[in-house]
Amino acid sequence: MSECPLRVLLVEDNPFDARLVQHELRRAGYVPAMERVESEPAFTAALGSTPDVILCDWNLPQFDALRALAVARERVPEVPFIIVSGSIGEEHAVRAIKLGAADYLLKDRLGRLGPAVKQALVQRDLRAAERRARDELRASEARYRVLADSVPQIVWTARPDGAVDYMNRRAAEYSGVEDDRLIDWNWEHLVHPDDRPHTTATWGAVLRTGEPQEFEFRLRRSDGAYRWHLARQVAVRGPAGVVERWFGTCTDIHDQKTTAELLAQDAQVLAHVRDSVVVTDPEGVVTYWNAGATRLFGWTAQEMIGRRYSERFPAEFRPELSREVRARADGTEWHGEYEDLRKDGTRVWVHARVGPIRDAAGRVCGVLGLASDLTDRKRAEESLAAVMRSVADAIVTIDERGTIGSVNPATERLFGYTAAELVGRNVRVLMPEPHSGRHDSYLENYLGTGVSKIIGVGREVEGRRKDGTTFPADLSVTEFRTEDARHFTGVVRDVTERKRLEAQFRQAQKMEAVGRLAGGVAHDFNNLLTVINGYTDLLLGGPLAEDDRAALAAVRDAGERAAGLTSQLLAFSRKAIVAPQVLDLKEVVAQAERLLRRLIGEDVALTVTSHAGPCWIEADLNQLDQVIMNLAVNARDAMPTGGRLTFETRRIPVAPGTSTDSGELRAGWYVSLAVRDTGCGMSNEVKARLFEPFFTTKGPGRGTGLGLAVVHGIVKQAGGHIWAESVPGAGTTFHILFPEAPAPGGPGESAAVEALRPGTETVLLVEDEDAVRSLCCLVLEAQGYTVLPAADGRAALAAIARHRGRIHLLVTDVVMPEMSGRALADAVRTLQPDARVLFISGYTDDAVVRHGVRGEADAFLQKPFTPLGLARKVRAVLDGAP
């Protein structure tokens, strides 16, 4: 038996036992190089030489076998560890084996040491081989993944049942799904719905039969686009021929497929084109001949394809035709009119265009010739003069220099010139600047390059008459040739009336749409907003926790925005009832200051400055509040990171002849409102469209485009002027000038802006909406009034009959079932002649006026209103200021 070297680390405190171990190892055929240690430090140090086997006594004076085993597992886990002990219980032995010991044996049975060491070494080598195999497998898999990830196709593997368990990086990039979600993922969701049945059925057949098939389908890319792919599979079979795995690829064939489809479509289209379409290679050999060429020239495709194009002409013409083909193959184009020969020897006038065909690299790969029969046109020319005389539109022909060659009678009527005044002059005479100065360069550029800026149908231009006035026109320009000269025909149609009607129609549609929307939402929406905003205001006026107050404030802000939007719609569509009155603009702005501070947020500093004296104007208070709020909201949106907002009111004189961006001003005194912000500012293009309805620069969902249009309409309705000054990055200032109104004759006329005082009068409140009625009762009773609530007209009259005292004020909804607000007011005034009336309604003015309420004569409060607005209006009506 050959001797085998063996490096042994022996943990043993008995030298005699060590010699016995060494003896047994020699008997087993080993040549042991033994190192004996007794302590843990010595054991740890000896592990550095990495022995072949560790033999350890169970109990030692300084440490035991379990401790040695733990250290060995940590330092040299691959080295077999065998316990050799004089006495070890079975329980301890089992525990040691579970902790990683290779074997254990008793010292009185050392004859088993050699086989135990041999077995342990065999197990060690097997484990090492297994690790090497795993490492090689991982390396192989890594190489496979790198290879799979480097190809442009989608690479996948699947289990025998078809469940995908791997896809390469291309699949993740294509689908947008993370790698770890692709495994066992339902790939069918990526297949186009139209392709899914066929794809699923084909893949099912592949799985059933085990025979791969190629099939095409569309896959959804991460951006949502579907692209055609070709799927290929390879079956990996076991020794018994059973499929153990599937390997596959999906190759993007979208461009090839769509290109082939387009080529097929183009061929089909060209086959049905009536004009002649002929293609030759650079040498002049025909490669394509459509049915139109057969109709025009008489030769069939079978007769011409494969022959030189020049061979269909007599011999004397062939050299010249060959030169023409070579010229086109050199990259030049030609077009013109000429007489061609038919197969039967007859001649036909054609208009042809011949030019090179280039491949993707820009190289000439062929010549394309298009030809059309001019027979019909020649006949048409005979009737052209009659047409020119009878047509209603202006028709002007010019040559290559722009010189007018002919005009029809309609041109004389439209432009005011006679034919003699126009023929021979440049067509620029019919164009205003800057088009007049540019026309010759347009024409010259087109003639030199073929790039058209003047040829086309239905371009909108301006025409200039003999008297210098201009008009909008629809211009169509075409080109034709006579005797090798190029000419152009322009057809001019005056569209002044059409433009006017289109503008009116668009505006009418827009106003109708807004009006329909406003009328549809006004009543119910305004009732709901009255309740929401009203109760929120009442709750905010009481003691609340900070969190509750913030939440209610958010509800209130949302309600105000909703009410503002409804109000804007009504104002813009002119469906809101306007009640102008003399107001001190300075006081109106001052009263709005608290609401403005809450509206613009803490990161915008608000400053309100004003003239020392009153600033009287005549306007509707609610609309004036709307102007202030809209301008504040616009300024806040222009300062997303904070800034400063300033409201300034003052009286200013205006001298005669003064004008602004808004128009000329009459001389006199005006009240100025300037609203300045330090926001992002506006470009001139934005400023030019600032007051257009539905124009907004805000993102989707952030603006209606009505705010500034409403502001403009309100200011104009009050006789004022509005314009803006702005520089990008330097903020914006809105200037509003109202004509100064005479000071009011008494305190009652300006009560709308005076401090609110409580009341003691009796108010008959009639409202068919329970929630609105309850809110109004609560508000008015809180102000000290005695309130008699009623749900309709009959209940109101019954309440009057029960009440023995005076009714000071009737507050009634306008539109109610059975009895309208106007009918009820007439009945109440019959019973209580001194009773005042305040109408309230959520309907637009059309509905209100139909029920007898006139904004100029009756006190009216539009829903949604605030508790403060209701209390203010009731006090004003009772004090004699409806």
Side-chain angles (χ1 to χ4, degrees), residues 389-440:
R389 290 191 297 271
S390 62
V391 72
D393 294 332
I395 300 178
V396 181
T397 64
I398 63 173
D399 62 15
E400 295 177 346
R401 296 180 298 277
T403 303
I404 298 175
S406 64
V407 297
N408 68 337
T411 305
E412 298 177 303
R413 294 191 298 270
L414 181 59
F415 288 95
Y417 293 95
T418 64
E421 291 176 312
L422 289 176
V423 173
R425 298 180 66 179
N426 192 287
V427 74
R428 296 193 306 269
V429 70
L430 303 179
M431 305 175 187
E433 292 294 349
H435 308 292
S436 176
R438 297 173 180 171
H439 179 265
D440 285 355

Side-chain angles (χ1 to χ4, degrees), residues 38 63 124 150 180 182 317 695 709 841:
E38 299 181 15
F63 75 121
R124 178 200 64 181
S150 67
D180 57 352
L182 282 170
F317 296 115
F695 173 73
S841 181

